[in-house]
């Protein structure tokens, strides 16, 4: 290593002396003191199966760093798991923990003045947080994908966490029993890793590779397989090379790289949450890109290339066997930005030159896709002037119109479902759950899962400014912008108002006279913070709209 490392302090200074004393006590030699110092950012936790294997992964990364001539320092962060952390406060801690992670990493890596970092990404919020931190700090960085969990079988039928997720709705309508749900729970998760479907976690793993922030071939990957472990070791070796080359995230995270990621996201029908997260990465890195406009632009040319559950019959392991993200990108190669650079130091064009796809695969071609595109659309109209997101798929009506039933919380909506008050033809509005209003984009996903479990998913529409899961399906419109707390029209919808969703026209409109809507908006009281102390109060005070990725910014 010939370059001057920022971590090598001038001898005789106070920070050199006190750090030397600390690190000598940890067993570092004089030679170690001069090597590249790499943070291994580990969100290991015993609270969730998503993270339970990451200590083993961290050890492999550290071995790779040492072999390549660096010194690893493992640092721990918060570990938000949607199905565990979401239990408290109606899921309000989930999105805020993404940004808590970003700041946690900044403190650990910038405070210690390290030279680079490898981030171990697992559940939904970790991969976007790791990319956001990398974009903000702009130090050599890459992500290691923690992988997806193995699932089991019950009565010779495959069972995964999505089946458990939706079973509550079946229970509410008498379609199942507590005993059967307990049986599902026994077999749904059979190994460490994230939910085994095209939910937000696997989507963001794929996005991390598509945007260039993982080693090529990283996602999706089985958490229980040898390939993931090999990638972890290789990542440890590679980060030392990135420090030597001074290859930084903002060299990688270009507008073209984001366009590539959105193209891949459309091709796999990724979770709608990918948009807010990718926009947040762009905001942290100062990248001039609007991912919502990219959906509009690329949706017209990108078909659905693979239909992985919940989008179709395919399973995430089928996509891995077919070559994963690289195979999807190879199919999309004619429309990708080939000059975009990856953490490997190679361009997308050079990486894809080595990719071969078998003829019999779950990944379709541009001429013979799994389904026509687009798989995700932005709807705009009088109910969502700044846009709302809808994932398309089979079974959805081109036009849905119905009377609204308005709820201010997921809990109230679930109670109404349990009482049999939600019936076909209704438009269910869950509001006041956005980034600021929630705060933290409070959950609406449990309600949507219960609706699907109750077999109402195609018979009603659900519209929300709250949090949806990548596993949600049905006639569901999420991330309505502006949210209710920011004066969006969703905040003045009344029971009985009619809403129309026109997919072909990309419209979502409140069928109330414009003068009346304006009267209602003007009568709304100014939003007042609902949180008086703690992390959620700080988040509510600082969070920006989801059009800006929901990042945190100081008040001007």
């Amino acid at each position: 290593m010939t370059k001057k490392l920022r971590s090598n302090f001038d001898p005789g200074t106070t920070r050199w002396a006190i750090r030397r004393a600390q690190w000598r006590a940890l067993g570092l030699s004089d030679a170690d003191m001069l090597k590249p110092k790499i943070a291994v950012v580990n969100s290991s936790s015993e609270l969730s199966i998503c993270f339970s294997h990451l200590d083993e992964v961290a050890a492999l990364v550290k071995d790779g760093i040492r072999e390549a001539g660096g010194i690893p320092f493992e640092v721990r962060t918060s570990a938000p798991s949607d199905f565990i952390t979401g239990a408290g406060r109606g899921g309000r801690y989930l999105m805020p923990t993404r940004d808590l992670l970003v700041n946690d990493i900044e403190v650990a890596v910038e405070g210690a003045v390290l030279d680079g970092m490898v981030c171990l990404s697992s559940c939904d919020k970790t991969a976007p947080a790791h990319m956001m931190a990398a974009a903000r700090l702009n130090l050599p960085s890459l992500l290691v994908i923690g992988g997806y969990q193995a699932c089991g079988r019950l009565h010779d039928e495959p069972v995964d966490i999505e089946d458990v997720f939706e079973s509550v709705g079946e229970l509410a309508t008498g379609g199942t029993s507590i005993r059967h749900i307990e049986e599902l729970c026994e077999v749904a998760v059979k190994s460490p890793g994230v939910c085994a479907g095209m939910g937000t976690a696997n989507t963001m793993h794929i996005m991390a590779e598509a945007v260039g922030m993982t080693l090529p071939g990283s996602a999706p990957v089985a958490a229980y397989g040898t390939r993931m472990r090999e990638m972890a070791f290789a990542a440890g070796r590679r980060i030392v090379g990135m420090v030597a080359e001074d290859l930084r995230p903002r060299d990688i995270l270009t507008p073209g790289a984001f366009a590539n990621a959105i193209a891949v996201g459309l091709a796999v029908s990724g979770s709608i949450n990918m948009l807010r997260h990718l926009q947040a990465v762009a905001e942290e890195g100062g990248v001039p890109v609007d991912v919502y406009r990219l959906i509009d632009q690329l949706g017209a040319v990108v078909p659905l290339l693979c239909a992985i559950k919940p989008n179709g019959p395919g399973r995430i392991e089928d996509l891995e066997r077919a070559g994963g993200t690289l195979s999807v990108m190879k199919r999309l190669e004619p429309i990708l930005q080939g000059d975009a650079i990856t953490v490997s130091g190679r361009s997308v064009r050079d990486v894809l030159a080595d990719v071969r796809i078998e003829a019999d695969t779950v990944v379709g071609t541009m001429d013979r896709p799994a389904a026509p595109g687009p798989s995700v659309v932005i709807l705009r109209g009088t109910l969502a002037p700044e846009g709302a997101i809808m994932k398309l798929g089979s079974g959805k009506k081109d036009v849905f119109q119905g009377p609204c039933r308005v709820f201010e919380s997921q809990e109230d909506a679930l109670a109404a479902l349990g009482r049999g008050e939600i019936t076909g033809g209704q438009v269910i509005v869950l509001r006041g759950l956005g980034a600021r209003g929630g705060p933290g984009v409070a959950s609406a996903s449990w309600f949507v899962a219960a609706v699907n479990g109750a077999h109402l998913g195609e018979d009603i529409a659900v519209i929300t400014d709250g949090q949806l899961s990548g596993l949600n399906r049905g006639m569901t419109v999420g991330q309505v912008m502006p949210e209710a707390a920011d004066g969006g029209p969703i905040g003045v919808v009344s029971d009985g108002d009619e809403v129309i969703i026109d997919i072909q026209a990309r419209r979502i409109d409140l069928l109330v006279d414009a003068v009346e809507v304006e009267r209602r908006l003007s009568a709304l009281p100014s939003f007042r913070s609902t949180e008086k102390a703690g992390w959620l109060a700080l988040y509510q005070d600082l969070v920006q709209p989801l059009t800006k990725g929901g990042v945190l910014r100081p008040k001007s």
Side-chain angles (χ1 to χ4, degrees), residues 257-544:
F258 282 93
N260 289 346
I262 290 297
V264 172
L266 286 165
V268 301
S269 191
S271 162
I272 69 170
N273 298 327
M274 67 183 172
L275 302 186
R276 76 177 68 157
H277 292 321
L278 286 174
Q279 190 64 51
V281 177
E283 296 290 329
E284 291 289 0
V287 185
V289 68
D290 182 339
V291 299
Y292 302 102
R293 292 297 175 188
L294 285 175
I295 287 285
D296 292 336
Q297 295 163 14
L298 293 170
V301 296
V302 178
L304 178 66
L305 292 183
C306 57
I308 303 301
K309 191 179 180 182
N311 305 314
R315 303 187 72 84
I316 198 70
E317 55 265 37
D318 298 331
L319 179 55
E320 181 184 0
R321 280 192 294 268
T325 305
L326 285 179
S327 287
V328 176
M329 294 182 76
K330 184 67 175 179
R331 297 295 203 208
L332 294 171
E333 190 172 12
I335 64 170
L336 296 184
Q337 304 294 316
D339 293 336
I341 300 297
T342 74
V343 293
S344 68
R346 304 171 68 201
S347 70
V348 167
R349 182 179 298 105
D350 289 343
V351 168
L352 294 180
D354 299 332
V355 176
R356 301 290 181 269
I357 307 176
E358 295 181 8
D360 185 16
T361 174
V362 296
V363 181
T365 66
M366 297 289 280
D367 295 330
R368 299 183 64 185
S375 62
V376 178
V377 295
I378 308 297
L379 306 177
R380 296 180 177 86
T382 58
L383 187 60
E386 295 177 5
I389 311 172
M390 187 176 194
K391 183 184 270 195
L392 302 185
S394 61
K396 288 187 172 65
K397 303 179 178 73
D398 286 340
V399 177
F400 190 106
Q401 181 176 339
C404 292
R405 179 81 187 273
V406 181
F407 296 94
E408 309 292 339
S409 76
Q410 176 173 249
E411 292 73 20
D412 288 347
L414 284 167
L417 179 67
R419 294 191 298 267
E421 297 174 5
I422 292 175
T423 57
Q426 293 179 325
V427 176
I428 307 303
V429 178
L430 285 87
R431 69 176 179 209
L433 307 180
R436 201 154 72 100
V441 196
S443 178
S445 63
W446 294 10
F447 173 73
V448 175
V451 163
N452 285 310
H455 308 293
L456 287 169
E458 304 301 340
D459 298 325
I460 68 171
V462 179
I463 299 171
T464 184
D465 58 4
Q467 168 80 13
L468 294 178
S469 166
L471 298 177
N472 287 151
R473 53 194 173 89
M475 199 76 182
T476 304
V477 180
Q479 200 171 306
V480 173
M481 302 175 287
E483 63 170 292
D486 288 338
I490 191 174
V492 297
V493 178
S494 297
D495 285 345
D497 287 347
E498 293 267 328
V499 163
I500 184 169
I501 302 166
D502 187 330
I503 293 175
Q504 295 303 316
R506 307 288 189 263
R507 296 284 304 182
I508 181 166
D509 289 296
L510 176 61
L511 300 181
V512 174
D513 181 76
V515 174
E516 170 61 14
V517 171
E518 188 58 39
R519 185 195 67 77
R520 294 182 191 179
L521 286 170
S522 63
L524 276 179
S526 298
F527 176 76
R528 302 183 69 176
S529 176
T530 56
E531 303 290 327
K532 304 306 179 187
W535 170 235
L536 292 183
L538 294 172
Y539 180 89
Q540 190 170 52
D541 194 45
L542 300 175
V543 69
Q544 302 300 297

